Amino acid sequence: MSDRTEKEIFELIEKSNFKQCNVKIALLRKQFPNSSYYVILELFAKFKQSPKKFNYETELNSKYGLQGKEYVNDRKALNLLHTLFIEYSKFEEALNVYEKAMFKYPSFQLAMEWFDKSISDGHYKYMAKASLQLSKYAVVGKNSTLDKRNYSIWYAISVLALFRFKRDTLTATELKLFPMLAFKNLEEIKPFHNSEEYIIYCSVCEALFIDLCNENNENNEKARLIVNEILPTLSSEVNLNLKKFIIKYCAKIEDYELLYKSSKKILESIDDYSVLKSFIKASKHIGKSNEETKKLIIDLLGPSRNARLAYLECDVTFTGKIDRDSVMFYLEKFHHKQCCVVDLNAYKEYLEVESVLNYMSELEPKNDIHDVNTLHFSNLTSNESSEKAINLYNSHKHTLNKKMKTDYSILSTSIIKLVEESLSSNGKNPSLNDVLFSLSLLENYQTKDPHNFDTKTWIIALYMHLGCVSQAYSHFADLKIKNVQSDIMHHLIYTRMSSLFPHKSHPYIQHFLTEKENLYEKSLPRLTNFIKISFEREAYSKIMGMLDFRNRLVSSSFKWLSDIEETQLARLTNNKRGTLIQKNLESWRKINMINGAFNFSDNRDWSRFGEFVKKDNLPYTFQYLKFTDMSMKVNFIKELMIYYLSLGESNSTLDNLIQETIPSDKLVLLKEHLTPIEAWSFNIFYDLYKNEGSSLNDTLEYIPSKEELSTWRLSNYYITKLATLKTLDNMQQISDKKLKESIKKQLQELRENCDDLYKSYSSEIISSSSVLSSTQKKILNSLDYKELKPELITDGILKIQKAVRDL
């Protein structure tokens, strides 16, 4: 009977029907007067009914907090207490209730519940404490198939995670105590049964002793322990991670004879370049010659890629300079392979560009990759580079007709080289005709090599720069991006989506939101379960990587960017935002709970465009992607301010976040991390939230610069201003009639100017396309390419114009 009633109570809470809810709880309290669960349930309902009026200190913290004297044993009651403390971002208190319960009512089941909650919360200190308790109460065959041995390893892993991810939360005593106890527990369970246990032992020695001692410049005997522990397994063990421990720590204790023998033994079964480098280092230290070492490498590995590249490493190690024969030994096999540039760049400080080019010229160019590699190594002026890229393309363009349609050609490198030259000519921001010329090159090439990933990503980025999102999407859709690639590629289009393409029913938006849900909202909870399964199945070596992956998913900068954009889009298109804001607040609690701070992990791929694009110094044509960690924080704060303004209340959590993030002189910060119109919008809502709009009359007027009325900046200006004015127009807090009229008037004028603004930009595109320079025309002619029709761009601008005109 009570279970059904409890279900009804939670349904009533969900529906905010607290009158019936409280009646049902009162009946349960009367029926079960000694039940701690119904006491907590009553507290929970009271909090949900009125969070602002709920007295956290007297109702919750003084009783069940860190200093509280009341103990709870019921697992459902503990779970509700945990939820309540999490709502207040009191992560320590949320798990402390389990620790207090274990002290009063110790049991295996309670310890396991505590451990599971600690994993979910990312609280590694409590994970460690709970695993120690589990080792006391575990009985094989009764509670679990696991025993004290397993929980000793769990404790060690928990401490490893604590030191890696939240070391700054430890006291001086804990910094010494936790490692000593982890090491002692592992020593007690020797001999180890498998490589997984060896890896944890070595990791504890390394992370909790060697790394810590290195910081204090102390000697440590743990390196010798690692070597001695792994050495007997060397002949039978095939785990490369384990073998790399012995390689690393033979070098640390400077036992080069053992390092030589160990490296050689590993290389007999595994061709690994890092091991190979250790072998070369040891060879020198024990008196082997350069030539002798090279011969030994060939005997061990044969003439493999690593072996050939190791000739360069041998020369650097033994003589400090690279011999011609060593370079030729590598090049004769790989001069026409795509790995050539990457491999030789690792040794570029020892190689002269002219020498490499001379060596390349001595070899027969078997395919276009040889010539492309030569172009990569060339140190040319702008004109020379363009000429060489054109010659390279024309020499091999016949191969584009012979290859399979689904393959892509390395010839794209020559076209990208021309694009980079065009977009960075004279060190100035490229003009519109520079961008249109670059798109002419890329679009013409794409027709001949339709599946080329590199040129397609450039096309996407340049269309986004121009504000033509629909064209960018048509190319993006061809890439058939999978869920796992969301952070890598979606940011090319989705960055500033709400102010570049506010089309909530567009296939891209629908597809993106589905992928986002699959990657973050569904994967994150599953990942926590996988971590638990890894513990139980003794896959210990995977756990640290999984914890790290979860941390990066929780704090993914692209996840936060997309959450903010989704909220802003809902506000612009008059969708309900309450659920989205609550999800954002939940994510904010999660990132603070698991990572200990409101910081982000950038999972976006910034290497796709090579050296041309650097995340911290984006070129002009990639400025639309400039959305920094601070940009995300500021926009998150802005959405929270709008939300609480709509409720007509302030919020202490938000106030603290503002204080931590926004300096009193915020102009420099906003200029650095937002566009001018975004900074204007933030200032308006900041003034309303903090100062009740005292400066709103002065701030409201905004005159855009000429730059803001072209490229992607036009949509960013128009849509951001529109969203701001619409939001202000709907705010009850603004009671001044003249101010209300001013907002409505500006909103009407902005909408009336929409067509003129976009038509003016379209005219600018048409005029720019007609004035390509003689050099640009000459390059197109030499490649037998046609100029891009301006209608392709203006049609895209028109689609945006139609999408925003009636917002």
Side-chain angles (χ1 to χ4, degrees):
M1 175 68 182
S2 60
D3 287 343
R4 189 171 72 248
T5 307
E6 287 167 30
K7 185 180 177 181
E8 290 172 359
I9 287 169
F10 282 106
E11 288 174 354
L12 291 168
I13 290 173
E14 189 70 26
K15 295 174 183 176
S16 297
N17 188 343
F18 291 102
K19 187 174 181 179
Q20 288 187 45
C21 170
N22 292 331
V23 170
K24 289 181 180 291
I25 292 174
L27 286 172
L28 287 171
R29 287 290 312 275
K30 188 175 181 180
Q31 188 177 355
F32 304 99
N34 297 322
S35 170
S36 59
Y37 174 59
Y38 295 124
V39 173
I40 307 302
L41 182 59
E42 187 175 45
L43 267 183
F44 183 75
K46 192 174 182 181
F47 165 76
K48 285 293 183 182
Q49 183 172 4
S50 182
K52 195 173 181 181
K53 292 181 180 178
F54 185 83
N55 192 318
Y56 166 78
E57 190 55 44
T58 58
E59 301 268 23
L60 189 62
N61 190 46
S62 63
K63 297 176 182 176
Y64 306 103
L66 298 177
Q67 307 303 320
K69 302 300 181 184
E70 296 194 22
Y71 295 83
V72 176
N73 183 34
D74 187 287
R75 290 170 67 186
K76 291 193 296 182
L78 287 169
N79 187 53
L80 266 184
L81 273 177
H82 178 271
T83 302
L84 271 168
F85 279 118
I86 293 294
E87 288 275 355
Y88 280 98
S89 299
K90 301 295 183 181
F91 311 124
E92 193 81 16
E93 287 84 345
L95 289 168
N96 180 256
V97 295
Y98 287 93
E99 183 173 29
K100 288 201 292 186
M102 276 298 297
F103 177 77
K104 191 80 171 176
Y105 314 102
S107 71
F108 177 84
Q109 289 76 14
L110 189 55
M112 183 57 75
E113 184 90 5
W114 185 20
F115 186 78
D116 284 349
K117 276 282 191 284
S118 301
I119 294 176
S120 298
D121 291 2
H123 201 302
Y124 309 115
K125 190 186 294 187
Y126 278 127
M127 271 175 62
K129 288 183 176 183
S131 55
L132 281 181
Q133 293 299 315
L134 284 167
S135 67
K136 292 180 182 179
Y137 299 102
V139 179
V140 176
K142 183 179 179 183
N143 297 316
S144 169
T145 57
L146 305 178
D147 57 18
K148 185 180 189 308
R149 171 188 205 84
N150 300 104
Y151 298 120
S152 294
I153 296 172
W154 288 21
Y155 175 78
I157 295 170
S158 302
V159 175
L160 281 171
L162 178 59
F163 271 68
R164 180 173 174 183
F165 302 118
K166 292 188 178 178
R167 186 180 161 194
D168 57 340
T169 65
L170 297 174
T171 64
T173 303
E174 289 170 337
L175 283 169
K176 293 179 180 179
L177 182 62
F178 281 130
M180 288 171 59
L181 189 52
F183 181 74
K184 177 176 174 290
N185 286 348
L186 292 178
E187 284 286 320
E188 288 177 355
I189 66 171
K190 284 184 177 179
F192 299 125
H193 294 171
N194 52 50
S195 61
E196 295 289 315
E197 294 183 358
Y198 279 110
I199 288 171
I200 295 306
Y201 177 79
C202 293
S203 298
V204 165
C205 289
E206 178 181 61
L208 304 184
F209 292 95
I210 297 172
D211 287 351
L212 288 177
C213 287
N214 284 346
E215 291 176 10
N216 300 320
N217 296 316
E218 297 174 6
N219 293 321
N220 199 279
E221 79 284 358
K222 292 298 188 291
R224 174 65 70 178
L225 282 177
I226 289 174
V227 171
N228 292 341
E229 196 66 46
I230 301 174
L231 200 56
T233 73
L234 199 58
S235 58
S236 59
E237 186 59 58
V238 295
N239 187 293
L240 184 58
N241 289 326
L242 193 57
K243 288 181 174 181
K244 283 184 176 179
F245 273 114
I246 196 170
I247 296 299
K248 182 176 180 179
Y249 290 105
C250 280
K252 184 172 180 63
I253 63 176
E254 298 183 348
D255 190 338
Y256 293 106
E257 191 70 46
L258 184 56
L259 178 60
Y260 176 81
K261 290 177 182 177
S262 302
S263 303
K264 185 179 178 184
K265 187 71 179 175
I266 295 170
L267 290 171
E268 287 173 358
S269 57
I270 302 171
D271 185 353
D272 181 83
Y273 197 66
S274 63
V275 177
L276 197 49
K277 289 171 76 172
S278 294
F279 176 75
I280 294 166
K281 179 181 179 181
S283 296
K284 181 186 178 185
H285 275 88
I286 65 171
K288 302 283 185 185
S289 68
N290 191 359
E291 292 307 314
E292 188 181 2
T293 304
K294 289 177 179 177
K295 184 179 182 305
L296 283 166
I297 289 170
I298 296 298
D299 290 342
L300 284 166
L301 303 177
S304 68
R305 174 186 169 193
N306 279 344
R308 290 172 184 268
L309 193 59
Y311 270 46
L312 279 69
E313 183 69 23
C314 283
D315 287 348
V316 170
T317 302
F318 282 91
T319 68
K321 59 182 181 179
I322 295 175
D323 186 68
R324 177 189 184 279
D325 291 341
S326 297
V327 183
M328 288 302 290
F329 183 53
Y330 174 83
L331 286 176
E332 68 183 15
K333 184 76 174 178
F334 295 102
H335 68 99
H336 58 291
K337 305 287 187 183
Q338 292 189 44
C339 63
C340 178
V341 174
V342 175
D343 286 348
L344 292 189
N345 271 342
Y347 294 93
K348 61 184 177 182
E349 64 179 293
Y350 300 99
L351 295 169
E352 293 182 0
V353 171
E354 290 303 318
S355 299
V356 175
L357 291 173
N358 288 336
Y359 302 153
M360 294 283 285
S361 67
E362 295 177 29
L363 298 162
E364 182 184 350
K366 295 183 179 181
N367 57 19
D368 53 347
I369 300 177
H370 170 95
D371 288 343
V372 170
N373 288 339
T374 303
L375 179 63
H376 273 297
F377 288 125
S378 301
N379 188 11
L380 304 169
T381 65
S382 178
N383 290 335
E384 288 174 330
S385 180
S386 296
E387 185 179 346
K388 190 158 187 175
I390 292 167
N391 292 336
L392 167 62
Y393 176 82
N394 286 329
S395 298
H396 297 282
K397 64 182 179 182
H398 63 279
T399 61
L400 293 172
N401 299 323
K402 296 178 182 179
K403 71 175 186 65
M404 291 181 63
K405 284 284 185 186
T406 50
D407 291 343
Y408 71 90
S409 170
I410 196 70
L411 274 182
S412 58
T413 302
S414 58
I415 301 302
I416 290 171
K417 195 78 175 174
L418 292 170
V419 169
E420 289 177 351
E421 293 292 344
S422 172
L423 297 179
S424 58
S425 59
N426 303 319
K428 296 179 181 178
N429 292 339
S431 61
L432 272 176
N433 63 323
D434 289 328
V435 177
L436 295 173
F437 165 69
S438 298
L439 274 170
S440 294
L441 291 170
L442 292 162
E443 285 280 24
N444 274 279
Y445 179 81
Q446 204 69 34
T447 60
K448 302 176 186 300
D449 191 7
H451 294 281
N452 192 289
F453 185 79
D454 296 322
T455 46
K456 197 171 276 290
T457 50
W458 270 94
I459 290 171
I460 291 167
L462 291 184
Y463 276 130
M464 289 301 298
H465 166 73
L466 292 174
C468 298
V469 184
S470 53
Q471 280 93 330
Y473 172 68
S474 68
H475 286 277
F476 183 85
D478 291 341
L479 295 177
K480 296 181 170 39
I481 303 301
K482 295 181 180 179
N483 289 349
V484 75
Q485 294 174 293
S486 289
D487 281 10
I488 294 174
M489 288 300 299
H490 271 302
H491 76 107
L492 288 181
I493 290 188
Y494 202 78
T495 304
R496 289 192 163 88
M497 172 56 68
S498 63
S499 62
L500 295 184
F501 191 55
H503 195 320
K504 64 182 180 182
S505 59
H506 191 274
Y508 173 70
I509 299 289
Q510 300 305 312
H511 172 71
F512 169 76
L513 292 177
T514 301
E515 283 198 357
K516 177 190 163 191
E517 182 181 3
N518 289 338
L519 179 62
Y520 296 111
E521 294 173 28
K522 292 182 179 178
S523 294
L524 268 170
R526 285 202 297 262
L527 192 55
T528 300
N529 289 331
F530 290 150
I531 293 167
K532 295 175 185 176
I533 292 168
S534 295
F535 270 114
E536 292 166 3
R537 295 187 178 178
E538 301 181 20
Y540 302 131
S541 62
K542 296 179 175 61
I543 292 171
M544 290 299 289
M546 293 170 76
L547 290 171
D548 183 49
F549 182 53
R550 182 183 67 175
N551 292 356
R552 288 188 290 115
L553 276 184
V554 166
S555 57
S556 162
S557 58
F558 186 69
K559 173 191 180 299
W560 278 89
L561 182 154
S562 54
D563 284 348
I564 291 163
E565 291 297 310
E566 189 178 356
T567 307
Q568 290 179 164
L569 185 62
R571 181 161 52 83
L572 180 65
T573 54
N574 302 322
N575 280 14
K576 291 182 178 179
R577 294 179 301 115
T579 303
L580 290 174
I581 289 289
Q582 291 306 316
K583 276 171 58 179
N584 290 348
L585 285 168
E586 187 179 332
S587 295
W588 181 73
R589 280 194 293 269
K590 197 79 171 175
I591 194 174
N592 279 282
M593 179 168 63
I594 290 180
N595 287 5
F598 192 31
N599 295 323
F600 304 102
S601 168
D602 198 342
N603 301 329
R604 295 169 288 178
D605 182 12
W606 296 98
S607 65
R608 176 49 47 202
F609 301 95
E611 290 297 312
F612 189 80
V613 174
K614 291 180 174 61
K615 172 192 169 185
D616 298 323
N617 188 21
L618 293 171
Y620 181 76
T621 42
F622 288 80
Q623 285 289 307
Y624 79 95
L625 289 170
K626 186 181 177 182
F627 209 78
T628 63
D629 289 359
M630 186 55 71
S631 305
M632 284 177 268
K633 288 183 180 181
V634 169
N635 276 278
F636 176 60
I637 288 170
K638 172 182 161 182
E639 291 304 316
L640 289 184
M641 289 191 300
I642 293 171
Y643 175 69
Y644 286 112
L645 281 168
S646 68
L647 296 178
E649 61 185 50
S650 60
N651 178 271
S652 58
T653 303
L654 172 57
D655 293 338
N656 291 335
L657 185 57
I658 291 172
Q659 188 175 355
E660 293 167 7
T661 310
I662 310 297
S664 54
D665 183 10
K666 60 186 183 300
L667 294 178
V668 175
L669 179 139
L670 297 181
K671 185 178 180 181
E672 172 64 23
H673 298 283
L674 302 179
T675 64
I677 190 66
E678 289 166 352
W680 170 81
S681 180
F682 178 85
N683 274 322
I684 280 180
F685 295 113
Y686 182 88
D687 180 52
L688 272 169
Y689 182 80
K690 297 291 286 184
N691 307 314
E692 298 182 347
S694 60
S695 304
L696 194 56
N697 267 314
D698 299 329
T699 312
L700 201 56
E701 192 65 38
Y702 184 87
I703 301 173
S705 65
K706 185 178 179 182
E707 186 185 43
E708 289 179 271
L709 300 181
S710 67
T711 67
W712 64 275
R713 292 169 176 81
L714 170 57
S715 290
N716 180 250
Y717 156 74
Y718 180 84
I719 297 167
T720 303
K721 187 171 184 180
L722 179 70
T724 303
L725 292 173
K726 280 184 67 175
T727 305
L728 290 174
D729 191 37
N730 292 325
M731 278 191 171
Q732 302 292 332
Q733 286 83 355
I734 302 176
S735 55
D736 187 298
K737 289 186 178 180
K738 287 186 177 179
L739 191 55
K740 276 279 189 186
E741 289 172 5
S742 175
I743 292 167
K744 288 183 181 295
K745 183 181 178 183
Q746 284 200 44
L747 189 55
Q748 183 181 352
E749 289 175 350
L750 185 67
R751 284 171 167 155
E752 288 172 352
N753 288 333
C754 177
D755 288 345
D756 290 339
L757 288 170
Y758 281 95
K759 284 177 183 177
S760 176
Y761 175 41
S762 293
S763 299
E764 192 179 353
I765 291 288
I766 293 169
S767 61
S768 295
S769 66
S770 64
V771 291
L772 292 184
S773 71
S774 57
T775 302
Q776 290 169 337
K777 289 180 179 179
K778 183 180 177 182
I779 291 174
L780 290 174
N781 290 333
S782 64
L783 296 170
D784 198 23
Y785 282 179
K786 296 178 181 178
E787 293 181 28
L788 190 73
K789 292 182 178 179
E791 291 78 13
L792 190 62
I793 310 295
T794 55
D795 285 351
I797 296 168
L798 183 60
K799 287 180 181 177
I800 301 294
Q801 180 182 336
K802 289 179 178 178
V804 304
R805 186 167 48 196
D806 299 322
L807 284 172

